[in-house]
Amino acid sequence: MKPFSLLLTLAAGISLASGQEKPNIVFVITDDQGYGDLAHNGHPYVKTPAIDKLHSEGVALDDYHVAPTCSPTRCGLLTGHWTNRTGVWHTVNGRSMLRENEITIATLLKENGYTSGLFGKWHLGDNYPYRPEDRGFDEVYRHGGGGVGQTPDLWNNNYFDGHYFHNGEVVSAEGFCTDVFFDQGIKFIKEKAAEKKPFLAFIATNAPHTPLHCPQEYLDMYSDQPLDKAAYYGMVTNIDDNVARTRKVIEELGIADNTIFIFTTDNGTVGGADVYNAGMRGQKGSPYEGGHRVPFIIHWPAGKLTEQKSVKTLTGFVDIVPTLLELTGSTKIPADLKFDGKSIKELLYKGDDADWEERYLITDSQRVRDPIKWRDSSVMSQKWRLINGTELYDITADPGQENDVAAAHPEQVQAMRQFYEDWWAELEPTFSQTTEIYLGHPEAPVVTLTGHDWIQEELPPWNQGHIRHDEATKDGKHEGHWAVKVIETGIYTLEMRRWPKEADTAITAGLAAEPNVPGADKAFSAREGDAFPFTTATIRMDGKDIETKPVSEGDTNITFTAELTKGSHQLAPVFTTADGKEVGAYYLIVSPAE
């Protein structure tokens, strides 16, 4: 077995056939859609004809693994590095921001003549230097946080007729969010095709993540199903229709031949495990196969990837960046950049007949403030899965992971445990490198901090339903903080809010519910907003109360002016009730004082 990191430095000289132009890349990734949530993989109800067609015309990685949750998958997918190496091992709590030293595929492709656009879900940071526009993407059209209606997203977004961030500016949109994100991706594709420049269009839907909403026509397609299933399947079929629409545009533009088209998902199913899970155990968040084995299909006519092929050799999300760099002939990369994955080009062309060296891969689901050794982990080889360091499964003979054979194969358990021990020993020193939000940087002088990124042991208020109706006062003490990095010592304005600025609502006032939208769930915006009887607001930094002001009826914000010194700080402003109960400010806007 090779050393655990399986490091790869791409050497200069890797190229496509002589004279061949660099291919375009259209990369579609969906949210919380499992391997079994596709008709061609055996689902008895869901309709996915366009993705089925893509599958019949391309190479499918059928033992392909990601992280069991979304942000951790996205960081590994975009950097080629283990999730825990990048600082992203959670989806909230300040642990979903991609460390600034990480280099994304967008940055690497830019150095090789590409323009990149991201459309839809990012979920690797909403503030500088963690936004997609800070990480190599030239065109960005996205929602905030990890889904439409989450706390960093624009207020009252609910899948229909929303507002989104377009290159840092707020814009309005008409229609269902998935349609809007594909619309923007298609617009970008048309522009780049006209310019005859190679591009990466990264279209990342927040569907079919909960809450479950879709246009009524898609609900009606599944009227014979329970409402939650109808909405889930409808969201999937809507994605499928958009895949068909995008491929048609590429054909009409005359660029289909030299476009790499990829479809994949970010983790195991949420809405489909109880109906069909392709024989796997577990779902999103699980260390078992159902949590992290997902579909991956690639089609590229000019590259001769047009015939249906199933690759059953073990592969993982950390392999994708080095693979795309090799397929595109992108040789201009930093000399010291190494990947935790390896190019799987040979597998794409030769399939399971390739001369492929046995290796181990690791995935885990931390979802805690700081990583815990062995937590929800899977060490994988072609034949074996070691779960949580103790359970061993022969995945070839027992794909449902029903029979733990650890006692019968102690030497295999020991080998896989040693691999994990070495992996952990290398990564553990990086865990203390907290991702800090920059204050006072000229690229982002005005910063909005939200409760989504509170660093604390408990889950923070990560969606707008929590903001509207939260039990944050139950313990009486706010334990969370934002990790910030002040770029220059100076006088700053700190604007504390209970409601976001666009809500324009008094701190102590409640908020009416908005009308619901089609689907199985109540939209976050369709919930009433609670009134909190706050009497004071306090700026707390590094564990010390700096200043307190009264909260009066009608105040929409309480603004402080304070000197912030250059360097790292823990910022934790709080509202307090008359009986001394604290609630962290859900929103804080920081900017240099004029």
Side-chain angles (χ1 to χ4, degrees), residues 486 489-494 541 546 561-566 569:
V486 178
T489 298
I491 305 300
Y492 290 79
T493 297
L494 299 96
M541 179 173 285
I546 306 302
T561 301
E563 182 181 48
L564 304 183
T565 57
K566 182 177 180 179
H569 297 281

Side-chain angles (χ1 to χ4, degrees), residues 155-156 497 499-506 511:
W155 186 246
N156 281 341
R497 289 181 173 270
W499 300 107
K501 188 171 184 176
E502 58 264 35
D504 192 30
T505 300
L511 203 60

